[in-house]
Protein backbone atom coordinates (compact mmCIF):
# COMPACT_ATOMS: atom_id res chain seq x y z
CA UNK A 1 0.00 0.00 0.00
CA UNK A 2 2.80 2.39 0.95
CA UNK A 3 4.65 1.58 -2.27
CA UNK A 4 1.52 2.32 -4.29
CA UNK A 5 1.10 5.67 -2.54
CA UNK A 6 4.76 6.49 -3.21
CA UNK A 7 4.39 5.70 -6.91
CA UNK A 8 1.23 7.83 -7.10
CA UNK A 9 3.14 10.68 -5.45
CA UNK A 10 5.85 10.34 -8.10
CA UNK A 11 3.22 10.58 -10.87
CA UNK A 12 1.81 13.69 -9.22
CA UNK A 13 5.28 15.22 -9.09
CA UNK A 14 5.65 14.95 -12.85
CA UNK A 15 2.72 17.30 -13.35
CA UNK A 16 3.86 19.58 -10.53
CA UNK A 17 7.31 19.91 -12.08
CA UNK A 18 5.76 21.34 -15.27
CA UNK A 19 4.44 24.26 -13.21
CA UNK A 20 7.37 24.52 -10.80
CA UNK A 21 9.76 25.74 -13.48
CA UNK A 22 13.47 26.26 -13.32
CA UNK A 23 12.92 29.78 -14.63
CA UNK A 24 11.06 30.70 -11.43
CA UNK A 25 13.83 29.34 -9.23
CA UNK A 26 16.59 31.06 -11.20
CA UNK A 27 14.70 34.36 -11.33
CA UNK A 28 14.27 34.26 -7.57
CA UNK A 29 17.98 33.54 -7.20
CA UNK A 30 18.87 36.55 -9.33
CA UNK A 31 16.66 38.78 -7.22
CA UNK A 32 18.11 37.63 -3.92
CA UNK A 33 21.47 35.86 -3.76
CA UNK A 34 21.56 36.20 0.04
CA UNK A 35 23.47 33.23 1.46
CA UNK A 36 22.54 33.88 5.08
CA UNK A 37 18.91 32.89 4.55
CA UNK A 38 19.41 31.01 1.32
CA UNK A 39 21.96 28.47 0.14
CA UNK A 40 25.38 29.26 -1.35
CA UNK A 41 24.17 27.46 -4.48
CA UNK A 42 21.92 30.47 -5.15
CA UNK A 43 25.01 32.41 -6.32
CA UNK A 44 25.73 29.82 -8.99
CA UNK A 45 22.10 29.80 -10.17
CA UNK A 46 22.00 33.60 -10.24
CA UNK A 47 25.19 33.96 -12.29
CA UNK A 48 24.46 31.24 -14.86
CA UNK A 49 23.44 32.65 -18.27
CA UNK A 50 23.15 29.51 -20.42
CA UNK A 51 20.24 27.20 -21.23
CA UNK A 52 18.38 26.44 -18.00
CA UNK A 53 17.24 22.99 -19.11
CA UNK A 54 19.20 19.80 -19.71
CA UNK A 55 18.60 16.31 -21.04
CA UNK A 56 18.49 13.09 -19.04
CA UNK A 57 21.64 11.98 -20.85
CA UNK A 58 23.52 15.11 -19.76
CA UNK A 59 22.54 14.42 -16.15
CA UNK A 60 23.58 10.77 -16.35
CA UNK A 61 26.99 11.70 -17.76
CA UNK A 62 27.46 14.28 -15.01
CA UNK A 63 26.40 11.84 -12.29
CA UNK A 64 28.94 9.30 -13.52
CA UNK A 65 31.60 12.01 -13.51
CA UNK A 66 30.75 12.86 -9.89
CA UNK A 67 30.87 9.16 -8.98
CA UNK A 68 34.32 8.75 -10.51
CA UNK A 69 35.70 11.83 -8.79
CA UNK A 70 34.10 11.42 -5.37
CA UNK A 71 33.29 7.81 -4.51
CA UNK A 72 36.85 6.35 -4.69
CA UNK A 73 38.00 9.00 -2.17
CA UNK A 74 35.14 8.25 0.23
CA UNK A 75 35.40 4.47 -0.14
CA UNK A 76 39.15 4.25 0.38
CA UNK A 77 39.15 6.75 3.26
CA UNK A 78 36.42 4.90 5.11
CA UNK A 79 38.07 1.55 4.40
CA UNK A 80 41.29 2.89 5.86
CA UNK A 81 39.42 4.16 8.91
CA UNK A 82 37.85 0.77 9.57
CA UNK A 83 41.21 -0.92 9.02
CA UNK A 84 42.59 1.27 11.79
CA UNK A 85 39.59 0.74 14.09
CA UNK A 86 39.58 -3.04 13.68
CA UNK A 87 43.33 -3.27 14.27
CA UNK A 88 42.86 -3.88 18.00
CA UNK A 89 41.05 -7.18 17.54
CA UNK A 90 43.68 -8.53 15.14
CA UNK A 91 46.64 -7.21 17.15
CA UNK A 92 45.16 -9.03 20.15
CA UNK A 93 46.05 -12.33 18.48
CA UNK A 94 49.71 -11.30 18.41
CA UNK A 95 50.37 -10.45 22.04
CA UNK A 96 49.06 -6.90 22.52
CA UNK A 97 46.93 -7.78 25.61
CA UNK A 98 49.85 -9.58 27.27
CA UNK A 99 52.36 -6.82 26.48
CA UNK A 100 50.12 -4.04 27.82
CA UNK A 101 48.60 -6.01 30.71
CA UNK A 102 45.03 -5.83 29.40
CA UNK A 103 43.60 -8.15 32.04
CA UNK A 104 39.97 -8.41 33.15
CA UNK A 105 37.80 -5.75 31.55
CA UNK A 106 40.73 -3.65 30.35
CA UNK A 107 40.68 -5.13 26.86
CA UNK A 108 36.95 -4.42 26.45
CA UNK A 109 37.38 -0.92 27.78
CA UNK A 110 40.29 -0.24 25.45
CA UNK A 111 37.81 -0.82 22.61
CA UNK A 112 35.01 1.14 24.27
CA UNK A 113 37.02 4.24 25.17
CA UNK A 114 37.66 4.85 21.47
CA UNK A 115 33.99 5.79 21.14
CA UNK A 116 34.10 8.15 24.11
CA UNK A 117 36.61 10.07 22.00
CA UNK A 118 34.17 9.81 19.09
CA UNK A 119 31.45 11.41 21.20
CA UNK A 120 33.72 14.31 22.15
CA UNK A 121 34.97 14.87 18.59
CA UNK A 122 31.93 14.37 16.34
CA UNK A 123 30.06 17.65 16.89
CA UNK A 124 33.09 20.00 16.86
CA UNK A 125 34.36 18.34 13.68
CA UNK A 126 31.06 18.71 11.84
CA UNK A 127 30.70 22.36 12.92
CA UNK A 128 34.22 23.05 11.62
CA UNK A 129 33.25 21.35 8.35
CA UNK A 130 30.26 23.69 8.01
CA UNK A 131 32.27 26.83 8.72
CA UNK A 132 35.47 26.00 6.80
CA UNK A 133 36.24 24.18 3.50
CA UNK A 134 35.22 20.60 4.17
CA UNK A 135 38.10 19.08 2.20
CA UNK A 136 40.64 21.02 4.32
CA UNK A 137 39.00 19.88 7.55
CA UNK A 138 38.97 16.26 6.28
CA UNK A 139 42.65 16.47 5.34
CA UNK A 140 43.66 17.76 8.77
CA UNK A 141 41.60 15.10 10.53
CA UNK A 142 43.02 12.21 8.50
CA UNK A 143 46.60 13.47 8.87
CA UNK A 144 46.32 13.80 12.67
CA UNK A 145 44.60 10.44 13.00
CA UNK A 146 47.50 8.81 11.13
CA UNK A 147 49.99 10.33 13.57
CA UNK A 148 47.92 9.21 16.56
CA UNK A 149 47.63 5.73 15.04
CA UNK A 150 51.40 5.38 14.79
CA UNK A 151 51.77 6.53 18.39
CA UNK A 152 50.15 3.25 19.49
CA UNK A 153 53.53 1.61 18.93
CA UNK A 154 54.89 3.76 21.75
CA UNK A 155 52.34 2.60 24.33
CA UNK A 156 54.01 0.67 27.14
CA UNK A 157 51.02 0.06 29.39
CA UNK A 158 47.26 -0.18 29.38
CA UNK A 159 47.04 3.44 30.62
CA UNK A 160 48.93 4.72 27.58
CA UNK A 161 46.71 2.62 25.28
CA UNK A 162 43.56 4.04 26.87
CA UNK A 163 44.78 7.61 26.25
CA UNK A 164 45.82 6.80 22.68
CA UNK A 165 42.49 5.11 21.90
CA UNK A 166 40.52 8.07 23.27
CA UNK A 167 42.37 10.61 21.13
CA UNK A 168 42.23 8.34 18.08
CA UNK A 169 38.45 8.23 18.39
CA UNK A 170 38.30 11.99 18.84
CA UNK A 171 40.16 12.76 15.60
CA UNK A 172 38.41 10.06 13.55
CA UNK A 173 34.96 11.20 14.69
CA UNK A 174 34.39 13.78 11.97
CA UNK A 175 34.96 11.54 8.96
CA UNK A 176 31.60 9.77 8.75
CA UNK A 177 29.36 12.81 9.46
CA UNK A 178 31.30 14.83 6.89
CA UNK A 179 30.86 12.09 4.31
CA UNK A 180 27.11 12.18 4.93
CA UNK A 181 27.09 15.92 4.20
CA UNK A 182 29.24 15.52 1.08
CA UNK A 183 26.96 12.83 -0.35
CA UNK A 184 23.83 14.87 0.40
CA UNK A 185 25.36 17.91 -1.36
CA UNK A 186 26.13 16.00 -4.59
CA UNK A 187 23.25 13.54 -4.99
CA UNK A 188 19.46 13.54 -5.17
CA UNK A 189 17.41 11.84 -2.46
CA UNK A 190 16.86 8.67 -4.45
CA UNK A 191 20.61 8.45 -5.22
CA UNK A 192 21.90 9.01 -1.69
CA UNK A 193 21.17 5.62 -0.15
CA UNK A 194 23.24 3.77 -2.76
CA UNK A 195 26.20 6.16 -2.40
CA UNK A 196 26.10 5.93 1.39
CA UNK A 197 26.22 2.17 1.04
CA UNK A 198 29.12 2.31 -1.41
CA UNK A 199 31.50 4.02 1.01
CA UNK A 200 30.14 2.30 4.10
CA UNK A 201 30.55 -1.20 2.60
CA UNK A 202 34.30 -0.60 2.75
CA UNK A 203 34.03 -1.63 6.42
CA UNK A 204 33.33 -5.16 5.22
CA UNK A 205 35.51 -5.41 2.16
CA UNK A 206 38.61 -4.04 3.89
CA UNK A 207 38.39 -7.06 6.20
CA UNK A 208 39.26 -9.24 3.21
CA UNK A 209 42.65 -7.56 2.92
CA UNK A 210 43.58 -6.48 6.45
CA UNK A 211 43.96 -9.99 7.95
CA UNK A 212 46.54 -10.89 5.29
CA UNK A 213 48.52 -7.70 5.89
CA UNK A 214 48.41 -8.07 9.65
CA UNK A 215 49.24 -11.75 9.59
CA UNK A 216 52.38 -10.97 7.59
CA UNK A 217 53.33 -8.11 9.91
CA UNK A 218 52.49 -10.23 12.92
CA UNK A 219 55.27 -12.66 12.03
CA UNK A 220 58.06 -10.09 12.02
CA UNK A 221 60.52 -11.24 14.65
CA UNK A 222 63.96 -10.30 15.86
CA UNK A 223 63.41 -6.54 15.56
CA UNK A 224 63.39 -3.83 18.20
CA UNK A 225 59.58 -3.81 18.28
CA UNK A 226 56.89 -6.39 18.91
CA UNK A 227 54.94 -7.61 15.90
CA UNK A 228 51.71 -5.77 16.76
CA UNK A 229 53.62 -2.49 16.91
CA UNK A 230 54.60 -2.86 13.25
CA UNK A 231 50.90 -3.24 12.42
CA UNK A 232 50.11 0.17 13.89
CA UNK A 233 53.13 1.88 12.32
CA UNK A 234 52.21 0.64 8.83
CA UNK A 235 48.52 1.55 9.19
CA UNK A 236 49.32 5.01 10.55
CA UNK A 237 51.88 5.68 7.85
CA UNK A 238 49.40 4.77 5.11
CA UNK A 239 46.84 7.09 6.70
CA UNK A 240 49.24 10.05 6.75
CA UNK A 241 50.07 9.53 3.07
CA UNK A 242 46.38 9.25 2.20
CA UNK A 243 45.62 12.64 3.82
CA UNK A 244 47.52 14.32 0.97
CA UNK A 245 45.37 12.50 -1.59
CA UNK A 246 42.28 13.96 0.10
CA UNK A 247 43.79 17.45 0.09
CA UNK A 248 44.49 17.47 -3.65
CA UNK A 249 41.66 15.34 -5.07
CA UNK A 250 38.56 15.35 -2.85
CA UNK A 251 35.62 17.26 -4.45
CA UNK A 252 34.10 19.34 -1.61
CA UNK A 253 30.67 20.26 -3.03
CA UNK A 254 29.12 21.19 -6.42
CA UNK A 255 29.69 24.89 -5.72
CA UNK A 256 33.49 24.71 -5.38
CA UNK A 257 34.35 21.47 -7.19
CA UNK A 258 37.29 21.85 -9.55
CA UNK A 259 37.33 20.70 -13.16
CA UNK A 260 33.63 21.31 -13.86
CA UNK A 261 32.43 23.62 -16.64
CA UNK A 262 29.92 26.33 -15.76
CA UNK A 263 27.14 24.22 -17.27
CA UNK A 264 28.15 21.09 -15.36
CA UNK A 265 28.26 23.09 -12.14
CA UNK A 266 24.84 24.56 -12.89
CA UNK A 267 23.27 21.16 -13.63
CA UNK A 268 24.92 19.61 -10.56
CA UNK A 269 23.24 22.24 -8.39
CA UNK A 270 19.93 22.77 -10.19
CA UNK A 271 19.11 19.05 -10.28
CA UNK A 272 19.23 18.99 -6.47
CA UNK A 273 16.13 21.17 -6.21
CA UNK A 274 14.15 17.94 -5.78
CA UNK A 275 15.91 17.38 -2.44
CA UNK A 276 14.24 20.47 -0.99
CA UNK A 277 17.24 20.75 1.34
CA UNK A 278 19.79 23.00 -0.43
CA UNK A 279 23.50 22.33 -0.96
CA UNK A 280 25.65 24.33 1.47
CA UNK A 281 25.41 27.23 3.90
CA UNK A 282 28.33 28.31 6.09
CA UNK A 283 26.22 30.28 8.59
CA UNK A 284 25.40 28.42 11.81
CA UNK A 285 21.72 28.87 12.70
CA UNK A 286 20.91 28.20 16.34
CA UNK A 287 17.18 27.77 15.67
CA UNK A 288 17.90 24.88 13.31
CA UNK A 289 20.23 23.24 15.83
CA UNK A 290 17.54 23.49 18.51
CA UNK A 291 14.97 22.08 16.10
CA UNK A 292 16.88 18.78 16.07
CA UNK A 293 15.92 18.35 19.73
CA UNK A 294 12.25 19.19 19.07
CA UNK A 295 11.80 16.90 16.05
CA UNK A 296 10.96 13.25 16.94
CA UNK A 297 12.65 11.80 13.83
CA UNK A 298 16.27 12.63 14.83
CA UNK A 299 15.57 11.14 18.26
CA UNK A 300 14.31 7.92 16.69
CA UNK A 301 17.34 7.79 14.38
CA UNK A 302 19.62 8.43 17.37
CA UNK A 303 18.00 5.55 19.28
CA UNK A 304 18.19 3.25 16.27
CA UNK A 305 21.88 4.01 15.73
CA UNK A 306 22.58 3.29 19.40
CA UNK A 307 20.64 0.01 19.41
CA UNK A 308 22.03 -1.17 16.06
CA UNK A 309 25.63 -0.57 17.09
CA UNK A 310 25.45 -2.60 20.31
CA UNK A 311 26.09 -5.59 18.03
CA UNK A 312 29.26 -3.97 16.70
CA UNK A 313 30.95 -4.64 20.03
CA UNK A 314 31.54 -8.34 19.33
CA UNK A 315 32.08 -7.73 15.61
CA UNK A 316 34.84 -5.14 15.78
CA UNK A 317 36.51 -6.32 18.99
CA UNK A 318 35.81 -10.01 19.54
CA UNK A 319 35.06 -11.82 16.26
CA UNK A 320 38.66 -13.07 15.67
CA UNK A 321 38.80 -14.14 19.33
CA UNK A 322 35.36 -15.82 19.13
CA UNK A 323 36.36 -17.70 15.96
CA UNK A 324 39.62 -18.69 17.68
CA UNK A 325 37.54 -20.15 20.54
CA UNK A 326 35.90 -22.58 18.09
CA UNK A 327 39.25 -24.38 17.93
CA UNK A 328 40.80 -22.70 14.89
CA UNK A 329 44.46 -21.69 14.86
CA UNK A 330 45.57 -18.06 14.93
CA UNK A 331 46.16 -18.07 11.16
CA UNK A 332 42.82 -19.71 10.36
CA UNK A 333 41.01 -17.36 12.73
CA UNK A 334 42.39 -14.40 10.82
CA UNK A 335 41.65 -16.01 7.47
CA UNK A 336 38.04 -16.64 8.50
CA UNK A 337 37.59 -12.92 9.07
CA UNK A 338 37.99 -12.54 5.30
CA UNK A 339 34.75 -14.29 4.22
CA UNK A 340 32.97 -12.42 7.01
CA UNK A 341 34.19 -9.17 5.46
CA UNK A 342 33.05 -10.24 1.99
CA UNK A 343 29.59 -11.22 3.24
CA UNK A 344 29.03 -8.08 5.27
CA UNK A 345 30.49 -5.76 2.64
CA UNK A 346 28.03 -7.22 0.14
CA UNK A 347 25.09 -6.76 2.53
CA UNK A 348 26.16 -3.16 3.23
CA UNK A 349 26.12 -2.52 -0.52
CA UNK A 350 23.08 -4.63 -1.44
CA UNK A 351 20.65 -3.14 1.10
CA UNK A 352 21.15 0.46 -0.14
CA UNK A 353 21.08 -0.76 -3.75
CA UNK A 354 17.62 -2.28 -3.18
CA UNK A 355 16.50 1.00 -1.63
CA UNK A 356 17.84 2.80 -4.72
CA UNK A 357 15.92 0.52 -7.10
CA UNK A 358 12.61 0.42 -5.22
CA UNK A 359 10.63 3.31 -3.73
CA UNK A 360 9.56 3.32 -0.10
CA UNK A 361 11.48 0.29 1.20
CA UNK A 362 14.22 1.89 3.30
CA UNK A 363 12.66 1.25 6.70
CA UNK A 364 11.73 -2.31 5.66
CA UNK A 365 15.36 -2.90 4.60
CA UNK A 366 16.56 -1.81 8.04
CA UNK A 367 14.17 -4.24 9.74
CA UNK A 368 15.20 -7.15 7.50
CA UNK A 369 18.92 -6.59 8.07
CA UNK A 370 18.31 -6.47 11.81
CA UNK A 371 16.62 -9.86 11.58
CA UNK A 372 19.85 -11.24 10.12
CA UNK A 373 21.82 -10.03 13.14
CA UNK A 374 19.19 -11.37 15.55
CA UNK A 375 19.40 -14.84 13.98
CA UNK A 376 23.21 -14.86 14.03
CA UNK A 377 23.30 -13.75 17.68
CA UNK A 378 20.86 -16.51 18.65
CA UNK A 379 23.10 -19.10 16.98
CA UNK A 380 26.21 -17.88 18.81
CA UNK A 381 24.31 -17.75 22.09
CA UNK A 382 22.32 -21.00 22.03
CA UNK A 383 24.20 -23.52 19.89
CA UNK A 384 26.47 -26.04 21.63
CA UNK A 385 30.22 -25.57 21.12
CA UNK A 386 30.27 -28.76 19.05
CA UNK A 387 28.05 -27.21 16.32
CA UNK A 388 30.99 -25.58 14.56
CA UNK A 389 29.14 -25.01 11.28
CA UNK A 390 26.27 -23.11 12.87
CA UNK A 391 28.55 -21.13 15.13
CA UNK A 392 30.75 -20.15 12.22
CA UNK A 393 27.70 -19.08 10.21
CA UNK A 394 26.65 -16.88 13.13
CA UNK A 395 30.12 -15.33 13.38
CA UNK A 396 30.27 -14.64 9.63
CA UNK A 397 26.82 -13.01 9.42
CA UNK A 398 26.52 -11.25 12.78
CA UNK A 399 27.31 -7.89 11.17
CA UNK A 400 24.17 -7.87 8.99
CA UNK A 401 23.33 -4.72 10.96
CA UNK A 402 25.86 -2.95 8.71
CA UNK A 403 23.22 -2.94 5.98
CA UNK A 404 20.76 -1.36 8.41
CA UNK A 405 23.16 1.40 9.35
CA UNK A 406 24.12 2.15 5.75
CA UNK A 407 20.44 2.65 4.88
CA UNK A 408 19.81 4.63 8.08
CA UNK A 409 22.48 7.20 7.19
CA UNK A 410 20.90 7.80 3.78
CA UNK A 411 17.44 8.00 5.34
CA UNK A 412 18.59 10.64 7.82
CA UNK A 413 20.20 12.92 5.23
CA UNK A 414 17.30 12.56 2.78
CA UNK A 415 14.77 13.51 5.46
CA UNK A 416 16.55 16.61 6.80
CA UNK A 417 16.51 20.11 5.30
CA UNK A 418 18.36 23.20 6.46
CA UNK A 419 22.16 22.96 6.37
CA UNK A 420 22.72 23.58 10.08
CA UNK A 421 20.02 21.07 10.98
CA UNK A 422 21.53 18.59 8.52
CA UNK A 423 24.98 19.11 10.05
CA UNK A 424 23.80 18.71 13.63
CA UNK A 425 21.65 15.71 12.69
CA UNK A 426 24.67 14.08 11.05
CA UNK A 427 26.62 14.40 14.30
CA UNK A 428 23.52 13.34 16.25
CA UNK A 429 23.28 9.98 14.48
CA UNK A 430 26.97 9.45 15.19
CA UNK A 431 26.46 10.15 18.88
CA UNK A 432 24.07 7.20 18.88
CA UNK A 433 26.61 5.22 16.84
CA UNK A 434 29.34 6.04 19.37
CA UNK A 435 27.29 5.25 22.45
CA UNK A 436 26.29 1.89 20.98
CA UNK A 437 29.90 1.09 20.14
CA UNK A 438 30.96 2.18 23.63
CA UNK A 439 28.44 -0.01 25.42
CA UNK A 440 28.73 -3.03 23.09
CA UNK A 441 32.26 -4.22 23.99
CA UNK A 442 31.60 -3.77 27.73
CA UNK A 443 28.80 -6.34 27.54
CA UNK A 444 31.30 -9.02 26.46
CA UNK A 445 33.34 -9.89 29.54
CA UNK A 446 36.25 -12.25 29.88
CA UNK A 447 34.47 -14.28 32.56
CA UNK A 448 31.62 -15.06 30.11
CA UNK A 449 33.92 -16.53 27.43
CA UNK A 450 33.59 -18.43 25.18
CA UNK A 451 29.76 -18.28 24.97
CA UNK A 452 29.30 -14.64 26.08
CA UNK A 453 25.64 -15.36 26.87
CA UNK A 454 24.85 -11.98 28.54
CA UNK A 455 26.40 -10.09 25.63
CA UNK A 456 24.51 -11.95 22.92
CA UNK A 457 21.29 -11.68 24.94
CA UNK A 458 21.73 -7.91 24.84
CA UNK A 459 22.42 -8.03 21.10
CA UNK A 460 19.18 -9.92 20.45
CA UNK A 461 17.12 -7.47 22.52
CA UNK A 462 18.64 -4.27 21.13
CA UNK A 463 18.56 -5.48 17.53
CA UNK A 464 14.87 -6.33 17.92
CA UNK A 465 14.11 -2.90 19.35
CA UNK A 466 15.97 -1.24 16.46
CA UNK A 467 13.88 -3.18 13.94
CA UNK A 468 10.67 -2.12 15.69
CA UNK A 469 11.77 1.53 15.78
CA UNK A 470 12.34 1.48 12.02
CA UNK A 471 8.65 0.62 11.61
CA UNK A 472 7.67 3.40 14.03
CA UNK A 473 9.76 5.83 11.96
CA UNK A 474 8.05 4.62 8.79
CA UNK A 475 4.50 5.19 10.00
CA UNK A 476 5.35 8.52 11.65
CA UNK A 477 6.73 9.78 8.32
CA UNK A 478 3.75 8.37 6.40
CA UNK A 479 1.38 10.14 8.77
CA UNK A 480 3.19 13.47 8.32
CA UNK A 481 3.28 13.11 4.51
CA UNK A 482 -0.44 12.33 4.42
CA UNK A 483 -1.20 15.25 6.74
CA UNK A 484 0.59 17.65 4.38
CA UNK A 485 -1.16 16.14 1.34
CA UNK A 486 -4.57 16.56 2.98
CA UNK A 487 -3.74 20.18 3.79
CA UNK A 488 -3.64 20.76 0.02
CA UNK A 489 0.06 21.60 -0.22
CA UNK A 490 1.67 19.09 -2.56
CA UNK A 491 5.36 18.36 -2.87
CA UNK A 492 7.15 21.07 -4.82
CA UNK A 493 10.48 22.89 -4.91
CA UNK A 494 9.97 26.67 -4.84
CA UNK A 495 11.85 26.81 -1.51
CA UNK A 496 14.54 24.27 -2.37
CA UNK A 497 17.38 26.74 -1.76
CA UNK A 498 15.83 28.69 1.13
CA UNK A 499 18.03 27.55 3.98
CA UNK A 500 15.70 28.99 6.64
CA UNK A 501 13.01 26.44 5.74
CA UNK A 502 13.84 23.11 7.34
CA UNK A 503 11.95 19.90 6.62
CA UNK A 504 9.47 20.62 9.45
CA UNK A 505 8.87 24.22 8.31
CA UNK A 506 8.63 23.63 4.55
CA UNK A 507 5.16 22.17 3.84
CA UNK A 508 6.33 21.18 0.33
CA UNK A 509 8.90 18.77 1.81
CA UNK A 510 8.07 15.06 1.87
CA UNK A 511 9.77 12.39 3.97
CA UNK A 512 11.29 9.24 2.49
CA UNK A 513 10.13 5.88 3.80
Amino acid sequence: MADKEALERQDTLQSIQQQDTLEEIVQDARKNADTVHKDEAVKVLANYTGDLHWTDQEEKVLTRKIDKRLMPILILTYGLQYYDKAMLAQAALFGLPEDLNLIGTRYSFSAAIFYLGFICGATPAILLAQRFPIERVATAIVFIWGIVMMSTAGCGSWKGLFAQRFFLGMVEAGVSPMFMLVVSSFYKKNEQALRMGLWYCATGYVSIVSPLINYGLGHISGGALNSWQYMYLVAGGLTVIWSFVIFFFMPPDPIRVKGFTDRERYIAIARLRSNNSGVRNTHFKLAQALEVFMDPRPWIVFAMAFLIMIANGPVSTFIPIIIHSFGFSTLNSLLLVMPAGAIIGTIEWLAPFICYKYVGVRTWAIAVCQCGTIFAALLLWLLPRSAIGGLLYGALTLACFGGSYAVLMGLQTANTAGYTKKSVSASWIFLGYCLGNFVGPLLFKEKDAPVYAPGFTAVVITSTLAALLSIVYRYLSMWENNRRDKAGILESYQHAYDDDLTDTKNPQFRYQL
Side-chain angles (χ1 to χ4, degrees):
M1 182 68 181
D3 292 345
K4 183 179 179 181
E5 292 175 355
L7 291 173
E8 289 174 351
R9 186 176 292 119
Q10 278 190 328
D11 292 335
T12 305
L13 282 177
Q14 291 179 356
S15 61
I16 292 173
Q17 287 170 347
Q18 294 175 1
Q19 303 171 17
D20 182 20
T21 63
L22 274 168
E23 284 85 352
E24 292 174 343
I25 295 174
V26 173
Q27 286 173 7
D28 178 69
R30 289 169 179 166
K31 289 178 182 178
N32 183 12
D34 168 27
T35 57
V36 173
H37 300 289
K38 293 188 180 290
D39 195 278
E40 285 196 337
V42 169
K43 292 181 179 179
V44 176
L45 297 177
N47 294 329
Y48 182 69
T49 57
D51 184 3
L52 299 183
H53 299 275
W54 61 89
T55 65
D56 289 342
Q57 184 60 30
E58 277 187 286
E59 185 171 345
K60 288 179 181 177
V61 171
L62 179 61
T63 304
R64 286 196 293 268
K65 183 174 181 177
I66 294 171
D67 285 339
K68 291 176 182 178
R69 292 277 301 276
L70 180 63
M71 296 315 299
I73 299 288
L74 303 190
I75 292 169
L76 292 173
T77 303
Y78 205 72
L80 193 59
Q81 185 185 54
Y82 192 77
Y83 175 41
D84 291 353
K85 284 196 295 186
M87 185 72 70
L88 183 68
Q90 297 180 28
L93 296 175
F94 292 94
L96 181 144
E98 293 78 11
D99 291 343
L100 301 185
N101 197 25
L102 297 177
I103 59 175
T105 60
R106 289 176 185 171
Y107 176 73
S108 295
F109 194 73
S110 67
I113 198 172
F114 175 91
Y115 293 99
L116 283 183
F118 242 67
I119 292 170
C120 295
T123 300
I126 203 64
L127 293 178
L128 286 172
Q130 178 179 3
R131 181 65 184 85
F132 300 102
I134 197 166
E135 74 281 9
R136 303 293 177 87
V137 177
T139 297
I141 284 175
V142 175
F143 181 84
I144 296 170
W145 125 41
I147 299 296
V148 176
M149 187 71 179
M150 287 192 289
S151 73
T152 315
C155 295
S157 69
W158 59 272
K159 295 178 182 178
L161 182 67
F162 282 8
Q164 183 276 335
R165 293 283 297 172
F166 176 84
F167 285 109
L168 182 64
M170 199 161 94
V171 294
E172 287 192 25
V175 173
S176 301
M178 282 192 290
F179 283 6
M180 290 174 65
L181 289 180
V182 170
V183 168
S184 68
S185 69
F186 272 103
Y187 296 100
K188 295 192 291 188
K189 280 185 180 181
N190 65 312
E191 299 168 345
Q192 290 173 14
L194 178 61
R195 272 68 183 191
M196 293 286 189
L198 283 175
W199 61 260
Y200 190 73
C201 75
T203 62
Y205 288 130
V206 76
S207 297
I208 301 173
V209 179
S210 62
L212 294 176
I213 297 172
N214 289 334
Y215 184 76
L217 295 171
H219 280 76
I220 297 176
S221 60
L225 302 176
N226 295 321
S227 56
W228 59 267
Q229 292 173 305
Y230 289 108
M231 296 180 188
Y232 281 99
L233 289 173
V234 169
L238 289 174
T239 303
V240 169
I241 293 171
W242 184 252
S243 68
F244 292 97
V245 176
I246 294 174
F247 180 81
F248 289 108
F249 297 105
M250 179 179 172
D253 54 60
I255 301 163
R256 296 179 297 116
V257 61
K258 297 177 182 178
F260 276 31
T261 65
D262 288 343
R263 179 160 182 79
E264 287 175 331
R265 197 183 311 276
Y266 165 75
I267 296 173
I269 290 170
R271 78 190 197 98
L272 298 181
R273 71 193 187 282
S274 62
N275 287 355
N276 256 340
S277 59
V279 179
R280 178 173 171 81
N281 191 297
T282 60
H283 302 274
F284 180 81
K285 300 179 179 179
L286 180 61
Q288 290 190 17
L290 295 176
E291 187 177 309
V292 174
F293 295 91
M294 305 300 294
D295 186 349
R297 267 167 291 273
W299 282 100
I300 295 174
V301 169
F302 169 82
M304 288 170 64
F306 169 74
L307 294 168
I308 287 170
M309 283 299 150
I310 293 291
N312 200 39
V315 170
S316 63
T317 311
F318 286 92
I319 280 298
I321 297 172
I322 290 172
I323 293 175
H324 191 50
S325 73
F326 299 160
F328 294 102
S329 66
T330 299
L331 172 60
N332 288 336
S333 298
L334 272 179
L335 292 178
L336 286 169
V337 172
M338 296 169 64
I343 292 168
I344 303 312
T346 301
I347 292 173
E348 290 169 347
W349 172 84
L350 186 60
F353 178 75
I354 291 172
C355 296
Y356 169 70
K357 296 293 289 184
Y358 300 98
V359 176
V361 300
R362 299 191 192 197
T363 46
W364 293 129
I366 292 172
V368 169
C369 289
Q370 287 304 108
C371 289
T373 292
I374 294 166
F375 182 64
L378 287 171
L379 292 178
L380 291 167
W381 171 20
L382 300 176
L383 282 181
R385 295 294 97 181
S386 59
I388 301 298
L391 290 170
L392 191 56
Y393 175 86
L396 297 181
T397 61
L398 183 63
C400 284
F401 64 84
S404 303
Y405 191 71
V407 173
L408 183 64
M409 287 191 295
L411 187 67
Q412 174 65 15
T413 56
N415 284 346
T416 308
Y419 200 81
T420 298
K421 184 178 181 182
K422 192 186 291 286
S423 300
V424 175
S425 296
S427 63
W428 192 241
I429 186 176
F430 277 92
L431 288 178
Y433 169 93
C434 296
L435 286 173
N437 275 289
F438 175 74
V439 173
L442 299 180
L443 299 174
F444 288 77
K445 300 177 181 178
E446 187 178 18
K447 65 183 181 65
D448 298 322
V451 178
Y452 298 106
F456 283 116
T457 303
V459 169
V460 170
I461 294 171
T462 54
S463 297
T464 302
L465 289 173
L468 293 174
L469 278 178
S470 71
I471 308 306
V472 172
Y473 185 99
R474 179 182 187 83
Y475 284 99
L476 176 65
S477 299
M478 286 175 60
W479 175 82
E480 180 61 25
N481 287 343
N482 290 334
R483 187 188 69 81
R484 295 182 182 191
D485 289 344
K486 290 177 182 178
I489 303 175
L490 297 177
E491 185 173 10
S492 192
Y493 314 120
Q494 283 93 345
H495 307 293
Y497 301 102
D498 188 342
D499 193 64
D500 275 351
L501 289 180
T502 61
D503 54 281
T504 57
K505 293 181 178 179
N506 182 2
Q508 296 178 348
F509 188 95
R510 293 298 184 272
Y511 293 100
Q512 300 289 299
L513 307 175

